[in-house]
Amino acid sequence: MWRFLQISDLHFGEVACQQAINHSMHRQIPEIMQCLRRDAPRLEADFLVATGDLTNQGGCDAVFAARDLLDFLDLPYYPVGGDADFREPESRTWFIDAYSGHLPLADTVYSFTHKNLHFCVLDPWRLWPDGSLAPIMTGEETGEEVWAIPPHQLHWLEDDLRSHQDIPTVVLLHYPVLPIPERVSQYDDGNSRGRITKEHLLLDLLANHEQVKLLLTGHTHYHCIRSHKGLTEISTGALVEYPIEYREFHVYDDRVEVYTQGLSNEGFAQESLIEGREWPRGSADDRELVIALD
Ligand SMILES: [Fe+2]
């Protein structure tokens, strides 16, 4: 058995929080990362994945500062970009420069294999009302933000999966793909947290590659686990917001066991919590499960 971890939505450099469900602990993010660094050795994880919105605005200084925070964990890691990371035209260049020591190649779209699992990372683009797809997130705001996976990334994914068809695979992207179940969506006010659209293009592709068992996403700021036709999606809440938790994956030859863990210092979560808004921690179904790999 070996382990890896998932954290999401650090929103480093946040000034004013526009989408918090509970109090955003962005000012305490260095202390939160210090606590995670202290907690991490006992977890014996081989690496960590950070599923996007590592910064809040994607400015050059923030990208490198967030990189320094992740480096501070002293654990190998793989970064995934989110909408907040890629606001500026140069954001992806800064991201690739900052994480050059962690990315397998100089791109925000990449794959890697670790022991008995393969991982594919995608970078959806913003879909604008006129139907155009653009890598830049800023423009005339029109309410709900939607993203889609550009065709060239779908072609790349198809090729990558074809050449790794005998190894169980995890696909990572920042935005949720599968519908949010009623048990969770009843709380989410739908206040334009945004979503991936044209998701059937990805799901149809993945349906032809049964080795893909798992989608890991963020962006929601709440924990949610759901499955569809043999594919399980795990959306992980924000590390700066209640319940300030991460996911722990125990990988065996025949299965992956998923656990949801809090920091040893529970004070951050208590300070973030607004009374009555405990729902982002999810139900039991959003916190633990076992995924078969065969
Ligand atoms: Fe996001």
Side-chain angles (χ1 to χ4, degrees), residues 106-243:
D107 202 332
T108 55
V109 178
Y110 59 91
S111 68
F112 61 95
T113 300
H114 187 87
K115 298 179 180 172
N116 62 326
L117 279 187
H118 187 62
F119 296 78
C120 298
V121 174
L122 298 172
D123 172 14
W125 289 4
R126 183 85 182 263
L127 181 67
W128 297 94
D130 66 359
S132 62
L133 262 178
I136 303 165
M137 300 299 176
T138 49
E140 188 181 344
E141 294 303 327
T142 52
E144 187 184 31
E145 295 187 0
V146 291
W147 296 270
I149 300 165
H152 70 275
Q153 289 188 32
L154 291 170
H155 293 145
W156 169 85
L157 183 63
E158 173 71 30
D159 288 347
D160 190 88
L161 292 175
R162 264 193 206 160
S163 54
H164 296 87
Q165 47 191 348
D166 295 327
I167 180 165
T169 297
V170 180
V171 173
L172 301 98
L173 67 163
H174 178 61
Y175 313 93
V177 177
L178 294 178
I180 304 293
E182 166 71 17
R183 68 170 185 277
V184 181
S185 65
Q186 63 176 314
Y187 297 110
D188 185 9
D189 59 8
N191 201 2
S192 302
R193 218 164 279 281
R195 61 190 172 83
I196 197 94
T197 190
K198 299 189 178 183
E199 67 275 17
H200 63 280
L201 296 175
L202 175 64
L203 294 173
D204 289 352
L205 189 160
L206 297 182
N208 289 325
H209 298 279
E210 290 182 354
Q211 80 268 29
V212 181
K213 306 296 184 187
L214 191 52
L215 284 166
L216 296 186
T217 59
H219 187 68
T220 54
H221 290 218
Y222 50 75
H223 295 326
C224 183
I225 298 178
R226 61 278 192 208
S227 297
H228 176 73
K229 292 185 179 176
L231 181 68
T232 297
E233 178 170 359
I234 297 179
S235 301
T236 292
L239 196 65
V240 287
E241 231 185 288
Y242 178 87

Side-chain angles (χ1 to χ4, degrees), residues 19-160:
Q19 58 164 220
I21 299 166
N22 283 284
H23 295 304
S24 175
M25 302 291 285
H26 59 277
R27 287 195 187 84
Q28 290 90 339
I29 191 70
E31 290 78 22
I32 288 171
M33 296 299 267
Q34 277 176 9
C35 187
L36 186 55
R37 178 187 160 116
R38 283 196 304 272
D39 294 349
R42 71 172 172 77
L43 303 172
E44 297 181 341
D46 286 8
F47 62 86
L48 173 148
V49 294
T51 45
D53 284 4
L54 311 178
T55 66
N56 202 51
Q57 293 292 336
C60 185
D61 291 348
V63 169
F64 281 84
R67 187 276 315 272
D68 290 346
L69 279 174
L70 286 164
D71 283 355
F72 174 73
L73 291 176
D74 204 20
L75 186 66
Y77 68 86
Y78 294 91
V80 179
D83 51 307
D85 298 307
F86 296 149
R87 298 238 169 247
E88 307 284 338
E90 305 90 346
S91 289
R92 283 177 175 80
T93 303
W94 297 329
F95 188 95
I96 289 166
D97 283 353
Y99 294 111
S100 60
H102 300 273
L103 297 169
L105 70 168
D107 202 332
T108 55
V109 178
Y110 59 91
S111 68
F112 61 95
T113 300
H114 187 87
K115 298 179 180 172
N116 62 326
L117 279 187
H118 187 62
F119 296 78
C120 298
V121 174
L122 298 172
D123 172 14
W125 289 4
R126 183 85 182 263
L127 181 67
W128 297 94
D130 66 359
S132 62
L133 262 178
I136 303 165
M137 300 299 176
T138 49
E140 188 181 344
E141 294 303 327
T142 52
E144 187 184 31
E145 295 187 0
V146 291
W147 296 270
I149 300 165
H152 70 275
Q153 289 188 32
L154 291 170
H155 293 145
W156 169 85
L157 183 63
E158 173 71 30
D159 288 347
D160 190 88

